[in-house]
Amino acid sequence: MKEPTELEQLVSLVARNPGEAARRLRERSDRTPGTGPLSHLAMLRFDAARHGVTGPLTGAGALARTLIESGTPVDGLPEDPETPLITAASYGDAEVARVLLDAGADLDSTASPDAGGVRGGTALLHAAVFGMTAVLDLLLAAGARVGSLSEAAAAGTVTGWLTADTPPLDRVRALAMAADHERLAVIDQLLEARTPIDAEDTHYRRQALRLAATRGRTRSVAHLLSRGADPQHRDPFTHRTALEWCRELGGGTAVEALLTA
């Protein structure tokens, strides 16, 4: 008989003990004073190895649905620094995010001022900043509201947001967002608006080519290079090139090939 997976065992546990669905996790959490089970699940794919979870992580959506049906609040537990949807957006779990959205998760909730991600940010902003395009697209389809040029760039359309009066730093930040989410048409719009292609976003300490390279965004890297991005540009903090960052953070051989061509 096939052994049940870790997630299947958790589904069985919650079915036998419904009260566990609303209990804050303290021992197996990287947050203080612990996190709710839905938020823990939302970051499980990212933290699997560190938490001792092995094998393919299938069924996360089914478990999230079981937790909600068993009484876990869809928007998290009291005093949580962010909602499970924000956590799913930060960690890129589209399967869990879809279940949360179907259950009515609040799209407009914001992280607390002392949260560890994007302080005060919505789920949409977290997905935009952390490069989680699949979750970002789900949020947009569910009706999430774009609130800035940066979010608009990540979403793929800056119409109505990019104007002649847009501050330079906002345009530079938007360029990095567009590169991260491979919104090539938005990259072109921003460059046509005289956004400097190699400029640094001092708020998030990012730059378009470097960010695209470290995240393995092959199409964005190729497009930026074709538009004149300097592969020898060094970041002002560690003085590394996009290629050096790509190699350190695992951007992939396809990106490396583009940067060394």
Side-chain angles (χ1 to χ4, degrees):
M1 182 177 178
K2 183 180 178 181
E3 289 292 323
T5 66
E6 286 92 342
L7 291 180
E8 288 171 340
Q9 293 177 52
L10 285 172
V11 169
S12 177
L13 172 65
V14 171
R16 295 194 308 270
N17 304 280
E20 295 294 313
R23 187 166 69 87
R24 189 179 297 278
L25 304 178
R26 297 184 183 277
E27 295 180 0
R28 293 179 63 80
S29 172
D30 60 357
R31 302 188 180 193
T32 302
T35 191
L38 269 180
S39 291
H40 183 75
L41 179 63
M43 56 184 167
L44 186 58
R45 290 182 189 276
F46 187 87
D47 285 343
R50 186 162 62 85
H51 287 310
V53 178
T54 59
L57 292 175
T58 58
L63 178 55
R65 191 174 296 107
T66 297
L67 288 170
I68 294 168
E69 291 171 352
S70 300
T72 298
V74 68
D75 288 320
L77 301 178
E79 300 181 2
D80 280 350
E82 63 187 39
T83 65
L85 183 61
I86 291 175
T87 303
S90 299
Y91 286 80
D93 197 317
E95 183 182 0
V96 172
R98 184 179 289 106
V99 171
L100 294 169
L101 290 169
D102 289 345
D106 187 354
L107 288 166
D108 296 322
S109 286
T110 57
S112 68
D114 58 351
V118 184
R119 296 174 180 178
T122 62
L124 185 68
L125 181 56
H126 280 75
V129 169
F130 292 111
M132 303 304 179
T133 308
V135 177
L136 184 142
D137 288 343
L138 279 176
L139 295 169
L140 291 169
R145 293 178 290 184
V146 172
S148 68
L149 173 62
S150 293
E151 291 179 357
T157 176
V158 293
T159 302
W161 289 98
L162 180 62
T163 70
D165 297 325
T166 301
L169 180 58
D170 289 355
R171 289 187 281 118
V172 170
R173 187 177 306 137
L175 181 62
M177 289 283 196
D180 194 11
H181 293 274
E182 297 194 299
R183 311 300 194 186
L184 306 190
V186 173
I187 290 175
D188 287 338
Q189 285 180 271
L190 288 162
L191 294 179
E192 288 161 10
R194 305 180 69 84
T195 304
I197 195 168
D198 293 318
E200 295 280 343
D201 169 17
T202 56
H203 180 74
Y204 289 121
R205 296 176 59 166
R206 308 195 301 186
Q207 185 253 10
L209 181 63
R210 183 170 69 247
L211 181 61
T214 57
R215 294 268 175 84
R217 314 303 195 206
T218 308
R219 291 193 302 135
S220 286
V221 170
H223 196 66
L224 288 165
L225 290 172
S226 74
R227 293 298 307 264
D230 180 8
Q232 299 306 316
H233 174 84
R234 294 183 179 273
D235 78 78
F237 311 105
T238 67
H239 308 292
R240 297 179 185 178
T241 64
L243 177 61
E244 290 169 331
W245 274 114
C246 174
R247 286 172 172 166
E248 177 165 331
L249 299 180
T253 56
V255 171
E256 288 187 31
L258 288 170
L259 292 170
T260 55

